[in-house]
C-alpha cells in the first residue's frame, strides 16, 4: 500500500513550488528589488496612494511573471531601457534633443515612432507568414511584435518622466489623453495577443490581431502629425487623481481583449468562407481549427468583460469623487453600459444557450464596433463630462 | 433565457437613445436647436432625460424582476450542485460520457482507491470514496465555488438596481406629478421662493447645486427639475471662507479649492475643511463637491471716459451681478456681468512659437439704452502687449451668440489712455479742427493755381467735414463722402487725396496733444502710436456709443459652486458591484470539474474506469483530463487501456 502512495507521488511529480525554474526565482526576487529601487529613486515625489498603487502593481506582477514567463525577460529589458533614458536625460529636458540615444531611440516621441514602425512591420511579417512556405517569416512577426511592445512601454515610461521634466507641477502619468490612450491600447492588445499566441500556439492569427493594432497606429500617427496630439499639456483638475492610474489601464485591458476577440472572429469567418469557396486554400488550412478559435474568443471576451466591469466600477467610484455622483448617464458612462450589455449578451448566448461559431464571431465583430464607438465616437460626436474631462 | 438576452439588448438600445440628445442643456437651448415642433416631440418622449422616463424605468424594472425570478428559480439548484458529490452514477453513464479512460491496476480496489485519493488531492481535487456491492466509486471535484458565480453576478444586478433606484429622482418626480411639489422657473433668492417648491429636509436622496460667494454661507441646495428647480433645505450651514484656483506654471488651472466652515447645531463648534476637485467634504451623509466657480460680486471702481470732447470723465463704482443706472448718462442702464482675474491666452511669438500669456484682469458689462438697444463689453484693466506695443483692449458684441470684436486702444508712455483720449477730444473741438484744417490745406495747395481764398475756404470745409466723418464712421465715412460727390472713375484717386489731407489735419491735432505732454521730438514710436490711434478710431463705428469704461481698482470676490448630494444607495451599489466582480471571477476563472473513478475487482488487481466533466467544457479540459488519467494510471502502477 505504501508503495502505491509513493508511486502516486512520483506520478504527479514535484509540487508547484518545486516546479519553479531559476528564472521564476530570479523574478520573485527581482520584482521586490525593483520595487524598492523605484521607491528609493522616486519616493520623494510619490504620495501615499502612489506607493500603494506601486505595491499593488508589484504584487500582481509576481504571479503574472510566473504564468507568462516571457515577461521575466521583457520587463527588465523595458525597465532597463527606461532607466537608461532617464540617465541620459540627467534631469534636463533639452537633452532629449541633443543626446544621440534619446533623439534616435529612447525619447518618448522617438520610442513611439519605433513602436509604430515595428507594429506595422510585424503586421506585414505575420501576413506574409500566412502565405510563405518558410516558418521564419511568421516567427519574425512575433519577434517584431515583442520589440514594438517593448518600445511602446518604454516610450510611455519615458514620457512619464518627461512630464516631470517640463515641470514637476505638471508631471502626470501619460494615460490621460487620446494620444496616450492609443499607445496604451496598442501595447496592451499586443501583450494579450503574445500571451495567447504562446499559450495556444496560434501564430497564424497574428496578421489579424496586428491589423487592428496597425489601424490604431495609423490613427495615432494622424493624431500626432495632424493634430499635434503628442504635445504634453497639463491635466485638467478633474483628471488629477490617483484613480486615473487604475481606472484607465483596467479599461484598456477590456478594450484590448475585446479587440482581440473581434479579430479572432474575423479569422473565424474568413476561414469558414474560404473553406466553402476554395477547400484547398492554404491560408484557410493554416488558420487554427474552429474549436480553438472559438475558445480564444471566449477566453478573451471573458477576460475583457471581467476587467471592463472592474474598470466601470472604478470609474463610478471616481465619478463620485470628482463629479459628485457615481452615475450621471454621461455619454461615456451610457456607452460603457452599452458595451457591457453587448458582451453580457454574448456571454449568455455562449454559456446558457451554447451558441458557437459564426454567429458568435459576428457578434464579437459587432461588439468591437460598439466598443470603438464608446472609445472614439463618444469623444468625437457627443459632449459630456468625459470628453471634456473638465470640471 | 431568451427573455434575459432580449432585455439586455433592449436596454442597450434604449441607452443609446439617451446619448444622442445632449441632456445637460436648458429647454430654451433645445428649442433654439430643434425648433418648436421637434422640441415638443422630444419633450413628450422624454428624450431630454431618457434615463428617468417611465418607459426606460419599465425596461429596468423588467430586467430586475426577471433576474430575480431567474435567481429564485436557479439558485437552489446551483447550491445543490455546489454541495453535491454526484455520486449516484452508473457504470454505463460513465462509459458513455464524453471524456473517459480505463486501465488495470495491480492493487485491490480499496487500496487503489486510497492511492487515487492521494493523487487527486495532489491535483487540487477533493474526493470521497463510496463502496458499492461489487465496486468502489471515487468521486472528485474541484472549483465548485464556480457555482456561486452565477448567484453572485445575478444577485449583484438586483442589488445594484435597487441601490440605484434609491438614489434616483423618482421620489421627487412623483411628488411633482401628484402636485405636492412645484417647479420654480424664475431666478429668485432662496428666501423669495414659495413653499410649494421646497423639498422636506428629510428627503433621503437628491443632488443639487448652489453657488456661495466668499464670506457668505448657504443652508439650501437647488435641485434641477425639468426646466426649473426645487429647493432642498440642509440641516447645516456651509460657509465659504476662501476660494482659490491653483495654477500650473503655464497659467492653466490645476485645481479648484474652497476653504469652508461647517456650522451644524449637532456640533459643539463649527469645523473647517478644504474642498477640492476629487476631494469632497462628507458630513452626516451629505457629500459636498467642488463643482464650479463664478464671480461672487467683485466690486469695481470705474471711470467712464468720454469719447468726445465736450464731456468730463465720470468716476463711479459697482459690483458684479448689480444692475443700475449708468451714472454718466440719463436713461442708460449698466449691468455688471462678470470679472476675471486671469485671462490666459495662447499668443504666437515672433519666432513662431505659441506661448500662454496672461492678459490680466478683465470685466464684462452690458449697457442698455432707452431705445431698447443693448451692447455687451469686455474691457481689460491693464494694457496688453502686441508686437512690442501696448494696447488697452475693449471688446464689444451685440449679444452672447456673437464673438467680441476688440478695439485696440494704444497706451501712451505713462501706460494710460490720456494721449488717445486727448486726440479724440480735439477731433470733437470745432475750433481746433478748423485751425488744423487751415494748416493742412495751406500745406497742400499753398502756391498752386488752386490757391484762391474761395478755394481754400471750400477745401477747409471739406477737411473739417472729413474729420467729423472719420470720427463718427471711420474710413468708411470718408469713402461715403467720395461716393456722394465724385464721379466713379475718379473716386479712388480723390479718396487717396482725401486720406492724405485728413491725415495731415489729424497729425496737427496729434502734435497738439503731444505738446501738452511736453513731447517735442516726434519719433517713430509716436508715429506708430498715431497709426494705432487712427485704426482704433476707425473701429469706433462698431463700438457703440461715446464712452469707454476704465477699471481703476477692484476688490475680488469669488463664489464657489458646490454640488451637494445625498445618496443613501451608494454603498449598496458599491456592494453590488463588488459582488458582481467576485462573481465574474468565480464564473470565468474557477472551472468546476468533476471526476468519477469506478473500480471493480479484476483478478488480483482492479479494473478502473474514469470519466470527467467540466461545467465550462472549454478546450483546456480535454488535455487536463488525459493528463490526470495518465498520472493516476502511472500512480496505480498500470499500463493504460484505451478508452472504450
Ligand atoms: C444584466 C446583467 C446580467 C449579467 C451581467 C449576466 C451575466 C451572466 C453570465 C456571465 C452568465 C454565465 C453564468 C454561467 O453559466 O456560469 C449568466 C448566466 C445566466 N443568466 Fe445572466 N446575466 C445578467 C442578467 C440576467 C437576467 C436578466 C437573467 C434572467 C432573466 C439571467 C439569467 C441567467 C441564467 C438563467 C443563466 C444560466 C446559469 C447557468 O445555468 O449556468 N441573467 N449570466
Amino acid at each position: 500500500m505504501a508503495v502505491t502512495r509513493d508511486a502516486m507521488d512520483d506520478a504527479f511529480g514535484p509540487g508547484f513550488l518545486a516546479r519553479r525554474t531559476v528564472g521564476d526565482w530570479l523574478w520573485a526576487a527581482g520584482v521586490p528589488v525593483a520595487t524598492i529601487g523605484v521607491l528609493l529613486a522616486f519616493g520623494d515625489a510619490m504620495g501615499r496612494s502612489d506607493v500603494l498603487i506601486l505595491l499593488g502593481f508589484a504584487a500582481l506582477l509576481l504571479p503574472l511573471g510566473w504564468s507568462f514567463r516571457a515577461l521575466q525577460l521583457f520587463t527588465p529589458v523595458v525597465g532597463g531601457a527606461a532607466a537608461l533614458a532617464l540617465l541620459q536625460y540627467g534631469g534636463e529636458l533639452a537633452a532629449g534633443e541633443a543626446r544621440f540615444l534619446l533623439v534616435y531611440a529612447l525619447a518618448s516621441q522617438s520610442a513611439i515612432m519605433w513602436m509604430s514602425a515595428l507594429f506595422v512591420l510585424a503586421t506585414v511579417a505575420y501576413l506574409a507568414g500566412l502565405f510563405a512556405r518558410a516558418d521564419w517569416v511568421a516567427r519574425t512577426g512575433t519577434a517584431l511584435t515583442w520589440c514594438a511592445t517593448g518600445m511602446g512601454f518604454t516610450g510611455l515610461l519615458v514620457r512619464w518622466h518627461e512630464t516631470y521634466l517640463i515641470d514637476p507641477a505638471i508631471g502626470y502619468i501619460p494615460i490621460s489623453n487620446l494620444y496616450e490612450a492609443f499607445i496604451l491600447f496598442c501595447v496592451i492588445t499586443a501583450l494579450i495577443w503574445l500571451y495567447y499566441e504562446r499559450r495556444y500556439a496560434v501564430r497564424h492569427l497574428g496578421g489579424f490581431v496586428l491589423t487592428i493594432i496597425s489601424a490604431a497606429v495609423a490613427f495615432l500617427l494622424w493624431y500626432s502629425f495632424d493634430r499635434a496630439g503628442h504635445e504634453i499639456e497639463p491635466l485638467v483638475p478633474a483628471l488629477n487623481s490617483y484613480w486615473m492610474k487604475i481606472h484607465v489601464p483596467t479599461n484598456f485591458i477590456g478594450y484590448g481583449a475585446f479587440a482581440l476577440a473581434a479579430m479572432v472572429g474575423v479569422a473565424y469567418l474568413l476561414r469558414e468562407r474560404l473553406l466553402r469557396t476554395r477547400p484547398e486554400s492554404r491560408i484557410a488550412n493554416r488558420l487554427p481549427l474552429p474549436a480553438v478559435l472559438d475558445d480564444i474568443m471566449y477566453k478573451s471576451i471573458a477576460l475583457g468583460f471581467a476587467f471592463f466591469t472592474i474598470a466601470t466600477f472604478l470609474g463610478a467610484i471616481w465619478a463620485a469623487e470628482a463629479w459628485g455622483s457615481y452615475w450621471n448617464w454621461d455619454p461615456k458612462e451610457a456607452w460603457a453600459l452599452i458595451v457591457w450589455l453587448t458582451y453580457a449578451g454574448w456571454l449568455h448566448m455562449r454559456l446558457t444557450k451554447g451558441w458557437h461559431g459564426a454567429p458568435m464571431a459576428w457578434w464579437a465583430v459587432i461588439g468591437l464596433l460598439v466598443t470603438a464607438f464608446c472609445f472614439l465616437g463618444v469623444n468625437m460626436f457627443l459632449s459630456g463630462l468625459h470628453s471634456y474631462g473638465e470640471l | 433565457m431568451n427573455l434575459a438576452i432580449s432585455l439586455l439588448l433592449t436596454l442597450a438600445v434604449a441607452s443609446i437613445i439617451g446619448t444622442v440628445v445632449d441632456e445637460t442643456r436648458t429647454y430654451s437651448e433645445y428649442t433654439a436647436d430643434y425648433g418648436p415642433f421637434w422640441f415638443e416631440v422630444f419633450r413628450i418622449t422624454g428624450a431630454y432625460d431618457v434615463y428617468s422616463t417611465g418607459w426606460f424605468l419599465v425596461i429596468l424594472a423588467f430586467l430586475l424582476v426577471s433576474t430575480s425570478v431567474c435567481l429564485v428559480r436557479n439558485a437552489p439548484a446551483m447550491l445543490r450542485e455546489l454541495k453535491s458529490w454526484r455520486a449516484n452514477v452508473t457504470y454505463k453513464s460513465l462509459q458513455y460520457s464524453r471524456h473517459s479512460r480505463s486501465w488495470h491496476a495491480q492493487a485491490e480496489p480499496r487500496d487503489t482507491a486510497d492511492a487515487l485519493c492521494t493523487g487527486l488531492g495532489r491535483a487540487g481535487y477533493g474526493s470521497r470514496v463510496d463502496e458499492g456491492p461489487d465496486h468502489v466509486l471515487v468521486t472528485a471535484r474541484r472549483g465548485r465555488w464556480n457555482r456561486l458565480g452565477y448567484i453572485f453576478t445575478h444577485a449583484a444586478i438586483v442589488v445594484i438596481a435597487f441601490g440605484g433606484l434609491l438614489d434616483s429622482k423618482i421620489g421627487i418626480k412623483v411628488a411633482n406629478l401628484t402636485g405636492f411639489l412645484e417647479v420654480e422657473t424664475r431666478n429668485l433668492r432662496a428666501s423669495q421662493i414659495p413653499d410649494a417648491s421646497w423639498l422636506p429636509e428629510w428627503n433621503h436622496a437628491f443632488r443639487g447645486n448652489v453657488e456661495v460667494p466668499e464670506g457668505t454661507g448657504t443652508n439650501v441646495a437647488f435641485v434641477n427639475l425639468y426646466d426649473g428647480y426645487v429647493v432642498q433645505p440642509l440641516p447645516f450651514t456651509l460657509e465659504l471662507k476662501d476660494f482659490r484656483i491653483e495654477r500650473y506654471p503655464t497659467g492653466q488651472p490645476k485645481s479648484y479649492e474652497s476653504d469652508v466652515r461647517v456650522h451644524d447645531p449637532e456640533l459643539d463648534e463649527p469645523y473647517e475643511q478644504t474642498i477640492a476637485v476629487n476631494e469632497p467634504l462628507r458630513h452626516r451623509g451629505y457629500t459636498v463637491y467642488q463643482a464650479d466657480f463664478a464671480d461672487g460680486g467683485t466690486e469695481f471702481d470705474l471711470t467712464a471716459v468720454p469719447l468726445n470732447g465736450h464731456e468730463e470723465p465720470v468716476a463711479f463704482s459697482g459690483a458684479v451681478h448689480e444692475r443700475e443706472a449708468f451714472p454718466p448718462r440719463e436713461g442708460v442702464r449698466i449691468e455688471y456681468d462678470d470679472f476675471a482675474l486671469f485671462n490666459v491666452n495662447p499668443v504666437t511669438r515672433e519666432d513662431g512659437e505659441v506661448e500662454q500669456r496672461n492678459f490680466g484682469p478683465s470685466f464684462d458689462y452690458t449697457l442698455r439704452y432707452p431705445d431698447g438697444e443693448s451692447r455687451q463689453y469686455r474691457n481689460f484693466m491693464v494694457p496688453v502687449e502686441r508686437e512690442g506695443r501696448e494696447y488697452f483692449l475693449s471688446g464689444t458684441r451685440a449679444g452672447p451668440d456673437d464673438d467680441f470684436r476688440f478695439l485696440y486702444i494704444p497706451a501712451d508712455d505713462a501706460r494710460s489712455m490720456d494721449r488717445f483720449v486727448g486726440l479724440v477730444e480735439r477731433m470733437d473741438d470745432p475750433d481746433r479742427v478748423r485751425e488744423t484744417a487751415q494748416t493742412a490745406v495751406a500745406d497742400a495747395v499753398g502756391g498752386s493755381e488752386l490757391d484762391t481764398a474761395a478755394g481754400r475756404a471750400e477745401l477747409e470745409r471739406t477737411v473739417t467735414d472729413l474729420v467729423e466723418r472719420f470720427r463718427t464712421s471711420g474710413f468708411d465715412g470718408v469713402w461715403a463722402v467720395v461716393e456722394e460727390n465724385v464721379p466713379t472713375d475718379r473716386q479712388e484717386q480723390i479718396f487717396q487725396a482725401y486720406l492724405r489731407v485728413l491725415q495731415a489735419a489729424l497729425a496737427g491735432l496729434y502734435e497738439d496733444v503731444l505738446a501738452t505732454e511736453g513731447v517735442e521730438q516726434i519719433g517713430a514710436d509716436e508715429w506708430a502710436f498715431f497709426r494705432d490711434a487712427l485704426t482704433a478710431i476707425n473701429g469706433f463705428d462698431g463700438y457703440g456709443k461715446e464712452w469707454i469704461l476704465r477699471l481703476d481698482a477692484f476688490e475680488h470676490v469669488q463664489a464657489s459652486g458646490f454640488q451637494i448630494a445625498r445618496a443613501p444607495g451608494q454603498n449598496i451599489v458599491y456592494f453590488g458591484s463588488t459582488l458582481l466582480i467576485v462573481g465574474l471571477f468565480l464564473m470565468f476563472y474557477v472551472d468546476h470539474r468533476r471526476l468519477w473513478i469506478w473500480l471493480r475487482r479484476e483478478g488480483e488487481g482492479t479494473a478502473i474506469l474514469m470519466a470527467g466533466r467540466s461545467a465550462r467544457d472549454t478546450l483546456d479540459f480535454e488535455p487536463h483530463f488525459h493528463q490526470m488519467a495518465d498520472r493516476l494510471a502511472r500512480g496505480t502502477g498500470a499500463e493504460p487501456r484505451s478508452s472504450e
Side-chain angles (χ1 to χ4, degrees):
Chain A
M1 226 205 84
V3 177
T4 35
R5 189 157 284 184
D6 286 345
M8 193 57 87
D9 268 337
D10 285 349
F12 275 85
F16 178 76
L17 286 183
R19 271 185 282 127
R20 296 303 96 193
T21 60
V22 176
D24 285 344
W25 291 119
L26 282 177
W27 176 255
V31 169
V33 168
T35 308
I36 291 167
V38 170
L39 281 174
L40 288 178
F42 304 109
D44 294 343
M46 293 169 82
R48 203 162 52 111
S49 55
D50 298 321
V51 174
L52 283 178
I53 290 171
L54 175 69
L55 293 181
F57 178 69
L60 282 179
L61 211 50
L62 206 98
L64 201 61
W66 276 7
S67 51
F68 186 15
R69 289 208 166 104
L71 292 184
Q72 296 173 2
L73 181 62
F74 180 75
T75 316
V77 169
V78 167
L84 184 61
L86 262 56
L87 288 178
Q88 290 272 311
Y89 265 118
E92 291 294 331
L93 190 62
E97 283 163 21
R99 296 267 173 98
F100 180 84
L101 199 58
L102 292 176
V103 176
Y104 291 102
L106 293 181
S108 72
Q109 198 50 25
S110 326
I112 298 309
M113 287 304 131
W114 275 108
M115 176 199 84
S116 305
L118 289 168
F119 269 136
V120 173
L121 287 179
T123 314
V124 172
Y126 270 130
L127 287 176
L130 261 182
F131 298 95
R133 235 167 260 287
D135 205 26
W136 62 265
V137 183
R139 276 220 301 273
T140 314
T142 308
L144 286 169
T145 306
W146 274 112
C147 295
T149 312
M151 272 303 188
F153 273 110
T154 308
L156 282 178
L157 288 173
V158 176
R159 187 178 171 89
W160 198 350
H161 185 62
E162 286 167 1
T163 63
Y164 278 85
L165 287 182
I166 288 181
D167 194 299
I170 288 180
Y172 68 88
I173 182 169
I175 48 176
S176 65
N177 59 39
L178 206 54
Y179 174 78
E180 293 154 353
F182 259 92
I183 304 172
L184 193 67
F185 172 81
C186 291
V187 292
I188 287 186
T189 311
L191 214 52
I192 300 176
W193 155 246
L194 288 166
Y195 176 75
Y196 284 129
E197 178 185 22
R198 188 164 300 211
R199 172 91 199 276
Y200 285 86
V202 285
R203 180 163 287 139
H204 285 305
L205 282 181
F208 294 87
V209 179
L210 267 282
T211 297
I212 194 82
I213 297 181
S214 282
V217 163
F219 183 92
L220 186 72
L221 294 179
W222 169 78
Y223 194 61
S224 177
F225 288 123
D226 200 67
R227 297 292 183 86
H230 60 277
E231 304 272 357
I232 292 174
E233 295 280 344
L235 289 184
V236 297
L239 292 184
N240 219 331
S241 160
Y242 57 87
W243 287 109
M244 189 168 73
K245 297 193 173 89
I246 41 185
H247 172 67
V248 179
T250 318
N251 246 321
F252 277 89
I253 296 178
Y255 282 170
F258 292 152
L260 193 143
M263 294 319 281
V264 175
V266 169
Y268 189 103
L269 295 169
L270 184 77
R271 179 182 186 280
E272 199 180 50
R273 186 186 187 88
L274 280 179
L275 284 184
R276 223 177 322 118
T277 51
R278 290 187 296 141
E280 66 292 354
S281 147
R282 159 124 46 111
I283 302 173
N285 285 303
R286 279 188 155 185
L287 286 175
L289 294 174
V292 174
L293 292 174
D294 229 46
D295 205 53
I296 299 180
M297 221 160 21
Y298 163 69
K299 289 274 166 55
S300 185
I301 284 181
L303 176 79
F305 191 71
F307 276 86
F308 197 74
T309 307
I310 297 176
T312 307
F313 179 37
L314 292 173
I317 301 176
W318 187 6
E321 301 229 319
W323 300 329
S325 163
Y326 55 85
W327 197 262
N328 298 290
W329 291 105
D330 166 79
K332 193 66 129 193
E333 288 175 346
W335 274 92
L337 177 69
I338 293 162
V339 168
W340 191 82
L341 291 168
T342 306
Y343 289 101
W346 194 98
L347 287 164
H348 272 90
M349 278 301 191
R350 160 92 194 207
L351 296 174
T352 64
K353 311 224 75 180
W355 278 28
H356 281 269
M360 297 317 277
W362 276 113
W363 196 321
V365 172
I366 292 166
L368 180 62
L369 297 182
V370 177
T371 306
F373 192 85
C374 180
F375 183 15
L376 288 177
V378 171
N379 293 25
M380 293 196 295
F381 303 119
L382 307 173
S383 61
L385 299 166
H386 239 104
S387 340
Y388 295 125
E390 280 225 23
L391 180 75
Chain B
M1 267 319 298
N2 279 328
L3 179 65
I5 295 163
S6 322
L7 276 174
L8 293 180
L9 297 183
T10 311
L11 192 61
V13 172
S15 304
I16 293 177
I17 297 172
T19 66
V20 176
V21 176
D22 179 357
E23 314 232 321
T24 58
R25 307 173 50 213
T26 63
Y27 275 17
S28 59
E29 285 173 319
Y30 289 134
T31 318
D33 272 13
Y34 304 126
F37 176 74
W38 286 109
F39 166 77
E40 206 45 31
V41 171
F42 286 157
R43 193 184 63 77
I44 290 167
T45 51
Y48 306 122
D49 198 5
V50 167
Y51 307 111
S52 55
T53 54
W55 60 268
F56 192 83
L57 292 173
V58 165
I59 302 177
L60 268 183
F62 245 111
L63 187 77
L64 246 168
V65 170
S66 73
T67 313
S68 312
V69 170
C70 237
L71 196 59
V72 169
R73 278 218 305 246
N74 288 312
M78 295 280 175
L79 290 173
R80 242 178 286 126
E81 175 73 11
L82 186 152
K83 279 199 234 126
S84 156
W85 286 93
R86 293 249 175 264
N88 55 343
V89 288
T90 61
Y91 186 80
K92 271 247 152 15
S93 68
L94 297 188
Q95 229 176 348
Y96 292 118
S97 91
R98 192 158 153 200
H99 307 281
S100 75
R101 285 268 295 270
S102 59
W103 68 88
H104 180 88
Q106 318 283 333
E108 56 92 31
R110 185 65 237 199
D111 288 350
T112 308
D114 283 346
L116 286 171
C117 288
T118 309
L120 289 163
R122 285 285 309 271
Y125 281 84
S127 58
R128 86 173 204 188
V129 180
D130 291 289
E131 283 190 62
D134 59 347
H135 71 276
V136 176
L137 177 67
V138 177
T139 38
R141 62 186 186 190
R142 188 173 118 171
R144 62 206 174 103
W145 300 111
N146 166 279
R147 291 292 149 181
L148 279 188
Y150 165 84
I151 296 175
F152 279 17
T153 45
H154 291 78
I157 303 303
V158 179
V159 171
I160 292 172
F162 174 72
L165 221 59
L166 275 188
D167 291 347
S168 74
K169 257 187 194 166
I170 290 180
I172 295 179
K173 287 204 164 176
V174 169
N176 176 246
L177 273 180
T178 49
F180 287 103
L181 188 67
E182 276 170 28
V183 177
E184 178 59 66
T185 53
R186 292 165 297 173
N187 195 353
L188 299 176
R189 288 176 198 284
S191 54
Q192 301 166 330
I193 296 169
D195 289 348
S197 298
W198 285 68
L199 290 161
E201 194 175 293
W202 50 260
N203 175 35
H204 67 277
F206 71 90
R207 184 144 57 94
N209 290 286
V210 64
E211 212 168 78
V212 189
E214 284 169 327
T216 69
T218 184
N219 55 6
V220 297
F222 302 95
V223 179
N224 286 332
L225 194 59
Y226 305 113
D227 55 342
Y229 60 91
V230 292
V231 191
Q232 172 69 53
L234 306 171
F236 58 92
T237 300
L238 188 71
E239 181 193 342
L240 179 65
K241 294 180 59 201
D242 186 31
F243 174 79
R244 285 182 303 279
I245 303 182
E246 302 283 324
R247 287 172 190 279
Y248 290 110
T250 52
Q252 285 118 311
K254 175 174 182 159
S255 174
Y256 306 101
E257 299 185 354
S258 302
D259 293 339
V260 299
R261 187 183 285 142
V262 179
H263 304 265
D264 189 330
E266 298 210 343
L267 295 172
D268 293 337
E269 55 183 53
Y271 68 91
E272 297 186 358
Q273 191 172 326
T274 300
I275 301 176
V277 183
N278 280 313
E279 288 168 36
L281 160 81
R282 294 177 214 283
H283 178 72
R284 281 219 274 157
Y286 294 81
T287 318
V288 184
Y289 306 88
Q290 182 68 55
D292 215 332
F293 64 93
D295 196 280
T298 295
E299 292 160 17
F300 302 127
D301 288 340
L302 299 162
T303 302
V305 181
L307 293 179
N308 57 43
H310 50 271
E311 274 174 285
E312 288 300 310
V314 182
F316 55 102
S317 53
V320 170
H321 303 321
E322 283 181 1
R323 300 144 182 252
E324 54 197 21
F326 183 53
R329 187 63 92 239
E330 192 85 18
V332 180
R333 295 189 63 77
I334 181 165
E335 295 169 6
Y336 303 97
D337 299 325
D338 204 358
F339 173 82
L341 187 57
F342 291 97
N343 285 280
V344 177
N345 292 307
V347 172
T348 312
R349 287 201 313 239
E350 276 147 42
D351 59 5
E353 291 284 309
V354 175
E355 75 175 357
Q356 301 289 334
R357 195 178 298 164
N358 183 8
F359 285 9
S362 71
F363 68 111
D364 291 7
Y365 60 98
T366 304
L367 290 182
R368 289 192 189 281
Y369 297 93
D371 59 6
E373 201 195 330
S374 74
R375 287 200 78 78
Q376 298 189 333
Y377 294 87
R378 169 169 298 167
N379 291 3
F380 285 77
M381 184 179 189
V382 291
V384 170
E385 192 225 285
R386 188 174 74 167
E387 288 163 16
R389 306 189 45 76
E390 289 195 315
Y391 303 88
F392 288 96
L393 261 55
S394 175
T396 180
R397 61 183 180 185
D401 296 333
D402 305 321
D403 287 333
F404 279 108
R405 272 191 44 227
F406 279 95
L407 208 57
Y408 280 73
I409 297 172
D412 57 28
D413 299 345
R415 302 191 86 204
S416 78
M417 279 188 231
D418 292 351
R419 185 187 291 174
F420 177 77
V421 172
L423 177 62
V424 176
E425 269 174 13
R426 280 168 178 73
M427 285 169 69
D428 199 39
D429 177 345
D431 296 338
R432 275 303 300 134
V433 172
R434 208 173 313 118
E435 276 170 45
T436 190
Q438 278 167 5
T439 321
V441 168
D443 287 353
V445 298
S448 75
E449 76 268 25
L450 287 170
D451 194 4
T452 64
R456 279 203 185 197
E458 169 75 30
L459 275 175
E460 279 163 21
R461 223 172 314 118
T462 308
V463 175
T464 319
D465 183 38
L466 286 179
V467 171
E468 176 60 18
R469 291 290 193 118
F470 178 65
R471 188 179 70 83
T472 53
S473 326
F475 292 115
D476 287 349
V478 177
W479 178 251
V481 176
V482 175
E483 270 190 329
E484 283 161 26
N485 302 320
V486 181
T488 324
D489 55 335
R490 295 193 54 215
Q491 282 178 352
E492 187 59 39
Q493 190 190 352
I494 297 295
F495 181 58
Q496 292 303 333
Y498 275 11
L499 286 189
R500 272 194 302 278
V501 281
L502 173 65
Q503 285 220 14
L506 294 176
L509 297 176
Y510 180 56
E511 282 164 18
D512 230 26
V513 179
L514 292 178
T516 61
E517 275 183 43
V519 180
E520 300 198 331
Q521 277 297 327
I522 305 186
D525 269 358
E526 280 72 22
W527 285 122
F529 182 100
F530 181 59
R531 280 192 302 275
D532 288 340
L534 295 195
T535 311
I537 295 168
N538 180 41
F540 276 0
D541 193 24
Y543 188 74
K545 320 270 163 119
E546 62 259 309
W547 297 87
I548 184 160
L549 257 56
R550 189 178 75 205
L551 178 59
D552 300 320
F554 63 85
E555 174 71 32
H556 193 198
V557 181
Q558 305 186 82
S560 194
F562 294 116
Q563 184 169 102
I564 304 183
R566 207 173 162 198
Q570 176 161 328
N571 287 332
I572 301 178
V573 170
Y574 286 5
F575 169 73
S577 306
T578 313
L579 205 60
L580 178 61
I581 290 165
V582 172
L584 286 178
F585 275 87
L586 287 176
M587 214 145 70
F588 296 145
Y589 295 103
V590 177
D591 196 359
H592 190 188
R593 292 167 171 179
R594 291 182 184 281
L595 298 176
W596 293 268
I597 308 176
W598 191 286
L599 307 111
R600 241 181 350 188
R601 186 175 296 282
E602 190 178 61
E604 286 297 288
T606 307
I608 297 178
L609 173 67
M610 167 169 153
R613 198 174 77 200
S614 145
R616 175 95 50 260
D617 197 12
T618 51
L619 278 189
D620 318 341
F621 185 64
E622 172 112 17
H624 170 78
F625 177 81
H626 287 291
Q627 187 189 42
M628 282 300 290
D630 287 345
R631 287 177 168 174
L632 291 173
R634 203 153 4 105
T636 51
E639 304 86 58
R641 240 195 256 166
S642 67
S643 76
E644 282 154 46

